[in-house]
Amino acid sequence: MSTPGEAQNTFGRWPDEEDRFGGRRRGGQAGKMLRSAGDAISRSSWRRREGGERAVVPPAKFTSYYGLPVVKPSPWQNDIPAYFFFGGLAAGSSLLAAGADLTGREALRRGGRVGALGAVGLSTFFLIHDLGKPSRFVNMLRVVRLTSPMSVGSWILAAYGPMAGMAAISEVTGGLLPGRLGRLVSALGRPAGLGAALFAPPLASYTAVLVADTATPAWHSAYRELPWVFAGSAAAASGGLGMVASPLSQAGPARRMAVGGAVLDLVAGQQMEHSMGLAAETLHEGRGGTLMKLSQGLTVAGALGAAVLGRRSRVAAALSGAALLAGSACTRFAIFEAGQASAKDPKYTVVPQRERLQQAEQAAHFR
């Protein structure tokens, strides 16, 4: 089963190939630019291999065949990063609520359970809105395909949702219902909450696997660190929500989760940029770069506020939590925009491919 809007490669010919219907060369100005760029790389790499001479050809500026992208940009809109953000927030809130339940922090447990239900509801709404109609989500559950991140993720979401809902309902209506029904609903709260917490880690990270499994250069090149970035961002956001929703006396676990998640988000994000190579430029330029800077600033400010002032002032704790929530949302949107930008510029596809080819040739030469 293919993912909705999954990025696909577009195949074409180099402009210097002969036209089978007349023997003419095709490509026009774009073809000339590609041929000159290819010749430049060939000459400079030959000189490095044979004589170690300094390259005298200026860096090539890449374009694509007839101005079309080498990789088709995803048709996803803002629904998808919003779906990512709220799914991670729901997952972290369920983990926090389960810990609060086991340690007797009722206010923190209540805020986590209700917050998880609201977040997973919004996440599902944005997913279905992107799909176009609810039946398409239901159709994903007709099969189980372990090699498809979307199939696995659909089942994770379908298993998590009812348990998160039951845990939240026990908080809201358990004490209001009469007799045995009220006691039954209240009794189901703990096992449902623990079950939701069991599915929380894969719920927070599977969306990173989903985007990294596409051909979009910025997403695919970050496949090692992106799940850690999403998990850290989800923990920071849910910790921030716990700080907003609970009193200072019970918010200790939320503060620690927020600070730990922020540190993981920032450290993994820096490592991700180093491993992305050329595609990391998209995290520093354009809309993606602006959102990433905003994300880092909000995350650092929120983490410092939670660690220094969050245990003393209710207002400072709430402001720090709000900053962490906003920073987590900006992270998802920044990575989304960076991926779209990398798909539209052919150099993020062509240059890494040629670098890998040169490395393979050099390795074969020394064997």
Side-chain angles (χ1 to χ4, degrees):
M1 179 183 300
S2 62
T3 64
E6 183 175 63
Q8 300 175 355
N9 288 333
T10 55
F11 298 93
R13 298 183 302 172
W14 288 104
D16 58 348
E17 292 181 347
E18 292 187 0
D19 191 335
R20 297 180 183 275
F21 302 96
R24 294 177 299 175
R25 296 178 183 270
R26 303 174 61 182
Q29 186 63 27
K32 293 178 181 178
M33 294 179 70
L34 277 173
R35 287 194 294 275
S36 63
D39 293 342
I41 288 179
S42 298
R43 288 195 297 270
S44 62
S45 62
W46 179 84
R47 292 183 183 189
R48 286 194 299 269
R49 289 197 303 268
E50 298 296 330
E53 299 180 12
R54 180 175 60 88
V56 296
V57 179
K61 181 179 180 181
F62 289 95
T63 184
S64 58
Y65 190 45
Y66 287 123
L68 297 175
V70 178
V71 172
K72 183 178 179 181
S74 167
W76 290 339
Q77 302 298 324
N78 288 334
D79 289 333
I80 294 302
Y83 152 63
F84 293 167
F85 166 68
F86 283 110
L89 177 60
S93 296
S94 288
L95 276 176
L96 194 59
D101 183 26
L102 295 175
T103 56
R105 293 177 170 87
E106 294 184 4
L108 183 59
R109 181 196 67 198
R110 185 179 304 109
R113 287 179 176 178
V114 175
L117 177 59
V120 75
L122 288 171
S123 178
T124 305
F125 166 79
F126 284 115
L127 174 60
I128 292 175
H129 187 265
D130 177 77
L131 293 174
K133 52 185 178 179
S135 61
R136 290 177 178 171
F137 177 75
V138 176
N139 288 337
M140 295 180 187
L141 304 178
R142 296 172 62 182
V143 297
V144 178
R145 184 174 297 174
L146 297 180
T147 56
S148 169
M150 178 56 78
S151 177
V152 174
S154 299
W155 278 101
I156 291 172
L157 187 61
Y160 168 85
M163 289 185 286
M166 186 69 248
I169 289 172
S170 71
E171 291 289 348
V172 176
T173 64
L176 301 177
L177 297 175
R180 294 181 179 178
L181 181 59
R183 291 193 295 271
L184 176 62
V185 172
S186 298
L188 290 175
R190 172 167 289 187
L194 294 177
L198 181 64
F199 283 94
L203 179 65
S205 57
Y206 92 87
T207 50
V209 180
L210 171 65
V211 297
D213 197 42
T214 67
T216 302
W219 297 340
H220 186 71
S221 61
Y223 74 94
R224 292 185 183 90
E225 296 84 11
L226 197 56
W228 296 102
V229 173
F230 274 31
S233 179
S238 55
L241 180 61
M243 292 166 59
V244 172
S246 59
L248 294 179
S249 59
Q250 298 189 22
R255 289 193 298 268
R256 290 188 288 272
M257 188 174 192
V259 174
V263 171
L264 177 60
D265 179 11
L266 295 170
V267 172
Q270 290 297 315
Q271 184 62 35
M272 179 182 72
E273 291 186 24
H274 288 299
S275 67
M276 288 173 65
L278 181 64
E281 291 180 355
T282 57
L283 293 174
H284 300 277
E285 301 173 352
R287 188 178 180 187
T290 301
L291 287 169
M292 183 56 71
K293 291 177 183 176
L294 187 59
S295 166
Q296 292 171 345
L298 288 168
T299 301
V300 170
L304 289 176
V308 177
L309 302 175
R311 67 185 63 190
R312 302 175 185 174
S313 169
R314 185 77 172 82
V315 175
L319 291 175
S320 299
L324 290 167
L325 284 163
S328 177
C330 288
T331 297
R332 302 304 205 284
F333 279 87
I335 291 173
F336 173 75
E337 293 293 341
Q340 296 293 74
S342 70
K344 294 175 183 177
D345 192 334
K347 75 176 181 180
Y348 296 118
T349 302
V350 176
V351 173
Q353 286 179 345
R354 293 188 174 181
E355 288 177 348
R356 290 192 294 268
L357 179 61
Q358 291 178 358
Q359 291 173 359
E361 291 176 349
Q362 292 174 358
H365 176 74
F366 288 106
R367 280 204 296 264

